[in-house]
């Protein structure tokens, strides 16, 4: 049985703590050394097989025009308010010529546009080519790099360093942007992780009243995060790991790591208070609380790995990277943490001096007091609340469900996309470059589309293509056509009238594919596809939206089956699935209200409304559904224990929920604090992850666990644990399923059967 294995593992780690701690130190050192020696930098590759934008990229690669590679742009304007690039009285054009020459000499640069040269040939040429604005105040040097696989963050660093040097030497304001920044910019983190750790430490100290008890979950989480992020870095040396993966891995890793440690530590202190020695207490804590941890962690991992159903490679790899961190946290919870518990010995059974001083005050909601009277008073408070809900289950169930359904309503207006550089804070050079380009050339210039056409068998198709594309109301201008002589493949760079994140741009892309291009090409052998960064991101968003229902259904079915195996019930897992779905829906609705409608966006530093990042709803569902199982399994395991002991459903609900309420509240506060620390990051995607996770966990641990769960379980009565005899015989009893031998494995008294016969 799983409980017996965990009992032996936890007890062994507690008896030989320094061996286990040394093993983890060695593992962390080796992981860091491997990351330094073999690791790579994160990089984004927002594409997927089978998409129209991917077919366009394949044609461009065949043509060898260089447009299939990475790009950057250097946007400049004279520091003198009266100067323009049309004349060179103040040296602005000379400075522009030097800047372009310096950029062209950078490593791996294939070529650059030449706005100064175009001006020398004639001002109209430069303006028509989109290199100089009509007023002569803004110029763009477009920089072409090879494919991303041949580049690294060092190329971005070289461009940024050049800009820093030239700002001090030239009479120009110099800003930079482009997908080179998107692919290789360092993700947010660092400060957010530190804030999250400090907040978690403060909550843990208030919960346990002991610096030693508060330090153990933090220490375990830091160990696990070090190994996890280093492993992720090694993975980045083998394949493209998206830039959001380390941030999301740190966010989720810290949250679940501290949560899991809190569950085990709370059980350990209970056993110490009961008179067990530290080694035996640690073993039993891992056997009882560790089983829900293993199950919950496994659910998180399986849910995240299910992202592969989207058939979007960067999401699959990102999910794998985050899953590695979660797995390491689960392993640390059942090996490293009991080693810490064994090393700490009986000191964990008592609060420190400051903790005792705090505990003499009015009982708070978080303290796990060693004073029996205070602890009884605290538990009595939760019993009164759960009893109150149990006496009025209908109004509480209807009211809480209505509240969450109301919060879910904004989901009806959900619009997926990808925030462009215009959503970044003004402190970032990418945002300032974006604003200059939009001011000088129009918003669509920040997201050009690339139409790749193979005119085989129809030489006149290109003229028709250019004419029909230019006539579309969503297209502002079309750059001159480039034709590769060897393959005959043509590429057209077209500029929409709207910004990359505007819904109208996605509509323009769809119209080009369904109406404009078919009209120009007809039924001949020629073919054309719409590519470019904006088109790729739009395609990925559509694919994830199409696959989301399938993914959600698969996760719901998997969770239902696993919970049915664990709790030997049909209604308990069905209720859990529905309530979890409700809390996640409410979190989605709040995200739409904040990011799309702007409600309270200033509180998290959001400077403009943005669409929900296309892949975030699927990622959030995978993570949140797994995390919500932490509380579900932890709470229902305790309710199940009480039901086995008493056979009374009402008593089991009151005792089970009240005994876990303070732990769930503390764990939720820790997760919310960690996730909210990331909601104030600069990048909108990081903000969405942080706010979405924090909101869902808060709702799940309060409205769902402390109101809806006791209310609905009271309404269902003994049918909570109903399971047909034929189904009970079919379900396995082993590492996943549970039976009465679990109690024996932890040394507790045998209990009555769970299933009603």
């Amino acid at each position: 049985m799983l409980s017996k294995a965990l009992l032996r593992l936890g007890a062994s780690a507690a008896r030989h703590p320094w061996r286990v701690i040394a093993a983890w130190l060695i593992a962390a050192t080796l992981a860091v050394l491997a990351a330094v020696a073999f690791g790579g930098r994160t990089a984004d590759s927002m594409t997927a097989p089978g998409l129209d934008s991917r077919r366009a990229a394949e044609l461009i690669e065949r043509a060898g025009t260089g447009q299939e590679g990475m790009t950057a742009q250097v946007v400049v304007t004279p520091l003198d308010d009266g100067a323009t690039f049309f004349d060179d009285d103040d040296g602005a054009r000379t400075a522009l010529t030097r800047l372009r020459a310096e950029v062209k000499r950078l490593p791996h640069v294939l070529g650059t546009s030449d706005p100064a040269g175009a001006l020398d040939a004639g001002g109209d040429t430069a303006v028509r080519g989109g290199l100089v604005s009509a007023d002569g105040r803004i110029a763009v040097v477009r920089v072409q790099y090879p494919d991303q696989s041949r580049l690294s963050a060092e190329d971005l660093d070289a461009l940024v360093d050049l800009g820093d040097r030239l700002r001090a030497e030239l009479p120009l304001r110099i800003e930079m942007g482009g997908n080179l920044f998107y692919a290789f910019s360092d993700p947010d983190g660092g400060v957010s992780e530190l804030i999250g750790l400090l907040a978690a430490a403060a909550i843990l100290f208030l919960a346990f009243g002991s610096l030693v008890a508060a330090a153990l979950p933090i220490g375990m989480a830091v160990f696990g995060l070090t190994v996890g992020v280093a492993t992720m870095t090694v993975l980045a040396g083998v394949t493209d790991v998206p830039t959001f993966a380390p941030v999301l891995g740190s966010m989720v890793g810290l949250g679940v790591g501290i949560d899991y440690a809190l569950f085990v530590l709370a059980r350990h202190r209970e056993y110490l208070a009961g008179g067990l020695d530290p080694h035996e207490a640690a073993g039993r804590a891992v056997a009882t609380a560790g089983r829900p941890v293993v199950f919950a962690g496994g659910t998180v991992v399986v849910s995240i790995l299910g992202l592969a159903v989207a058939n979007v490679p960067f999401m699959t790899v990102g999910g794998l990277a985050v899953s590695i961190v979660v797995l390491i946290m689960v392993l640390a919870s059942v090996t490293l943490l009991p080693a810490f518990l064994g090393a700490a010995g009986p000191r964990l059974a008592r609060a420190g001096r400051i903790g005792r001083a705090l505990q003499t005050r009015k009982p708070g909601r978080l303290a796990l007091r060693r004073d029996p009277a205070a602890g009884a008073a605290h538990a009595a408070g939760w019993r009164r609340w759960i009893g109150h809900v149990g006496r009025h289950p209908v109004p509480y169930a209807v009211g809480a469900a209505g509240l969450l359904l109301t919060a879910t309503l904004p989901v009806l207006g959900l619009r997926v996309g990808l925030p462009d550089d215009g959503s970044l804070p003004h402190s970032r050079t990418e945002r300032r470059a974006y604003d200059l380009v939009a001011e000088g050339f129009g918003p669509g210039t920040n997201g050009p589309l690339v139409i790749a056409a193979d005119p085989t068998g129809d030489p006149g198709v290109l003229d028709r293509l250019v004419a029909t594309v230019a006539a579309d109301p969503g297209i502002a201008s079309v750059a001159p056509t480039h034709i590769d002589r060897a393959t005959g493949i043509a590429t057209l760079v077209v500029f929409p009238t709207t910004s990359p994140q505007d819904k109208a741009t996605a509509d323009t892309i769809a119209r080009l594919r369904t109406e404009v291009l078919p009209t120009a090409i007809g039924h001949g052998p020629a073919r054309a596809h719409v590519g470019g960064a904006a088109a790729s991101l739009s395609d990925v968003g559509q694919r994830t939206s199409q696959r989301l229902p399938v993914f959600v259904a698969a996760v719901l079915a998997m969770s239902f089956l696993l919970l049915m195996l664990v709790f030997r019930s049909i209604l308990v897992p069905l209720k859990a699935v529905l309530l979890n779905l409700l809390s996640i829906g409410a979190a989605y609705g709040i995200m739409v209200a904040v990011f799309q409608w702007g409600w309270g966006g200033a509180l998290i530093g959001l400077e403009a409304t943005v669409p929900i990042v296309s892949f975030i709803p699927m990622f959030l569902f995978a993570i949140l559904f797994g995390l919500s199982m932490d509380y579900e399994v932890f709470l229902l395991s305790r309710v199940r224990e009480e039901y086995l002991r008493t056979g009374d459903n009402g008593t089991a609900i009151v005792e089970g929920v009240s005994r876990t309420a303070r732990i769930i509240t503390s764990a939720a506060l820790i997760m919310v604090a960690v996730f909210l620390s990331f909601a104030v990051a600069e990048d909108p995607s990081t903000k969405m992850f942080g706010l979405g996770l924090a909101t869902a966990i808060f709702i799940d641990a309060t409205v769902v666990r402390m109101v809806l769960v006791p209310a609905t379980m009271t309404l269902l009565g003994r049918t909570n644990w109903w399971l047909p005899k034929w189904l009970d015989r079919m379900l396995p009893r082993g590492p996943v399923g549970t039976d009465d031998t679990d109690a024996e494995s932890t040394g507790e008294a045998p209990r009555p059967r769970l299933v009603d016969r």
Side-chain angles (χ1 to χ4, degrees):
M1 292 298 298
L2 178 61
S3 293
K4 291 181 179 179
L6 290 175
L7 176 67
R8 290 193 296 268
L9 183 63
S12 176
R15 290 191 185 94
H16 309 285
W18 301 114
R19 295 182 188 176
V20 177
I21 294 172
W24 272 91
L25 278 172
I26 293 172
T29 302
L30 291 176
V32 171
L33 291 176
V36 173
F38 309 109
R41 294 287 293 269
T42 58
D44 288 312
S45 180
M46 299 292 185
T47 187
L51 299 176
D52 189 67
S53 54
R54 180 59 193 164
R55 297 188 184 100
E58 290 169 354
L59 279 180
I60 295 171
E61 289 171 4
R62 279 181 52 198
T65 62
Q67 291 175 329
E68 74 276 11
M70 303 295 294
T71 60
Q73 59 183 15
V74 182
V75 189
V76 297
T77 186
L79 293 175
D80 185 347
D81 291 340
T84 72
F85 291 110
F86 288 145
D87 55 63
D88 199 24
D89 294 341
D90 54 6
R93 192 186 300 184
T94 301
L96 180 59
T97 300
R98 179 186 166 191
L99 179 143
R100 184 248 180 184
E102 295 257 17
V103 170
K104 192 174 182 179
R105 286 197 293 266
L106 289 175
H108 298 134
V109 170
L110 300 178
T112 65
S113 62
D114 187 6
L119 284 169
D120 292 337
D124 290 343
T125 302
V127 173
R128 288 198 307 269
L131 301 178
V132 179
S133 61
D135 62 2
R137 286 282 300 164
I138 300 171
V140 177
V141 177
R142 297 190 176 93
V143 189
Q144 185 66 53
Y145 285 91
D147 184 77
Q148 182 174 330
S149 61
R150 297 168 56 189
L151 301 175
S152 69
E154 294 178 357
D155 294 286
L156 175 61
D157 295 340
L159 181 61
V160 171
D161 292 344
L162 176 63
D164 292 339
R165 177 169 64 83
L166 293 181
R167 286 188 184 98
E169 300 176 3
L170 301 178
L172 300 174
R173 174 187 166 191
I174 304 172
E175 307 297 348
M176 299 178 175
N179 57 18
L180 185 72
F181 283 80
Y182 183 80
F184 294 111
S185 292
D186 287 328
D188 291 329
V191 175
S192 296
E193 294 168 12
L194 180 60
I195 293 173
L197 281 172
L198 292 176
I203 295 169
L204 285 168
F205 179 68
L206 290 175
F208 292 114
S210 166
L211 289 175
V212 175
L216 295 187
I218 299 293
M220 190 211 78
V222 170
F223 259 101
L225 196 60
T226 300
V227 177
V229 173
T231 305
M232 193 183 300
T233 304
V234 174
L235 181 64
V238 179
T239 186
D240 288 337
V241 175
T243 54
F244 65 79
V247 177
L248 188 58
S250 299
M251 199 185 307
V252 175
L254 283 177
V256 302
I258 296 173
D259 251 22
Y260 295 164
L262 179 61
F263 293 161
V264 175
L265 179 58
R267 266 300 176 96
H268 177 71
R269 283 164 63 96
E270 286 184 18
Y271 287 128
L272 287 179
L276 296 182
D277 68 80
H279 299 160
E280 186 176 358
R284 290 198 184 184
V286 173
T288 52
R291 186 176 58 199
V293 164
V294 171
F295 172 79
T299 305
V300 174
V301 170
V302 173
S303 297
I304 296 176
L305 291 179
L307 291 167
V309 74
N311 193 24
V312 179
F314 79 86
M315 290 181 62
T316 303
V317 176
L320 174 62
V322 175
S323 297
I324 290 173
V325 177
V326 175
L327 275 176
I328 291 172
M329 288 300 182
V330 171
L331 183 61
S333 299
V334 297
T335 57
L336 181 60
L337 182 61
F340 284 162
L341 300 179
R347 286 176 293 178
L348 292 176
R350 58 183 182 275
R353 183 179 300 175
I354 299 177
R356 289 194 299 271
L358 289 173
Q359 292 172 10
T360 59
R361 300 183 179 183
K362 184 179 179 179
R365 292 190 176 185
L366 293 180
L368 299 174
R369 293 170 174 77
R370 302 315 315 146
D371 179 7
H378 177 74
W382 281 112
R383 289 191 185 94
R384 285 194 297 271
W385 168 252
I386 302 304
H388 173 70
V389 172
R391 289 189 297 273
H392 308 87
V394 174
Y396 274 106
V398 173
L403 177 65
L404 295 186
L405 285 172
T406 301
T408 304
L409 287 177
V411 172
L412 298 175
L414 175 68
R415 181 170 67 87
V416 298
L418 192 78
D420 53 31
D421 288 345
S423 61
L424 295 174
H426 286 89
S427 59
R428 297 276 292 268
T429 185
E430 302 101 294
R431 169 63 185 273
R432 298 192 295 269
Y434 179 97
D435 289 344
L436 281 176
V437 170
E439 176 189 341
F441 306 94
T445 311
N446 282 297
L449 306 175
V450 181
I451 298 178
D454 184 354
T456 302
D458 190 356
V461 72
L462 294 181
D463 292 336
R464 299 196 304 271
L465 191 61
V466 172
T468 53
V469 169
D472 186 86
I475 300 300
S477 61
V478 180
T481 306
H482 181 281
I483 303 176
D484 179 63
R485 293 183 178 180
T487 62
I489 294 174
T491 54
L492 290 76
V493 178
V494 301
F495 299 97
T497 57
T498 50
S499 67
Q501 71 175 15
D502 199 311
K503 183 180 183 297
T505 302
D507 294 339
T508 297
I509 294 170
R511 189 169 57 253
L512 288 175
R513 288 170 173 163
T514 58
E515 300 176 18
V516 177
L517 298 188
T519 299
I521 294 175
H523 299 288
R527 57 194 177 106
H529 304 284
V530 182
S536 295
L537 296 173
S538 177
D539 289 350
V540 169
Q542 289 184 5
R543 171 166 288 185
T544 54
S545 297
Q546 292 168 355
R547 299 290 177 89
L548 182 60
V550 177
F551 172 73
V552 169
V555 172
L556 294 179
M558 176 203 68
S559 302
F560 174 82
L561 291 175
L562 288 178
L563 285 172
M564 184 171 61
L565 288 173
V566 170
F567 294 111
R568 320 297 295 183
S569 164
I570 289 180
L571 293 181
V572 163
L574 180 61
K575 171 191 61 65
V577 165
L578 293 177
L579 294 185
N580 289 345
L581 192 61
L582 196 58
S583 64
I584 294 172
Y588 280 3
I590 292 172
M591 285 175 58
V592 171
V594 172
F595 290 97
Q596 288 185 208
W597 300 353
W599 293 6
L603 297 176
I604 58 173
L606 189 68
E607 298 185 1
T609 58
V610 294
I612 304 301
V613 176
S614 58
F615 56 84
I616 281 184
M618 188 175 283
F619 250 106
L620 279 184
F621 187 87
I623 295 170
L624 288 173
F625 210 89
L627 292 181
S628 64
M629 287 299 166
D630 291 3
Y631 302 137
E632 187 72 26
V633 174
F634 188 67
L635 185 152
L636 290 181
S637 294
R638 214 52 196 265
V639 173
R640 171 183 173 276
E641 288 181 20
E642 295 300 324
Y643 184 73
L644 285 170
R645 185 175 62 85
T646 66
D648 182 80
N649 183 68
T651 301
I653 294 171
V654 172
E655 291 299 318
V657 177
S658 63
R659 285 174 178 268
T660 56
R662 62 187 186 274
I663 301 300
I664 289 177
T665 305
S666 301
L669 280 176
I670 290 170
M671 273 206 182
V672 169
V674 170
F675 295 152
L676 280 182
S677 68
F678 286 85
V680 297
E682 288 186 345
D683 182 67
S685 301
T686 305
K687 290 180 184 292
M688 288 181 196
F689 275 125
L691 183 66
L693 290 169
T695 302
I697 293 299
F698 177 78
I699 292 172
D700 190 80
T702 53
V703 179
V704 173
R705 301 297 154 214
M706 300 305 146
V707 180
L708 276 173
V709 166
T712 54
M713 292 190 75
T714 299
L715 290 172
L716 292 173
R718 290 179 60 86
T719 56
N720 279 302
W721 312 108
W722 172 74
L723 186 70
K725 293 181 179 179
W726 62 268
L727 182 58
D728 183 54
R729 288 192 295 268
M730 291 177 59
L731 296 179
R733 296 178 183 274
V736 177
T738 58
D739 57 29
D740 299 336
T741 59
D742 289 340
E744 298 171 5
S745 71
T746 57
E748 299 175 4
R751 296 161 174 168
R753 300 293 299 175
L754 172 64
V755 182
D756 290 336
R757 303 296 185 189

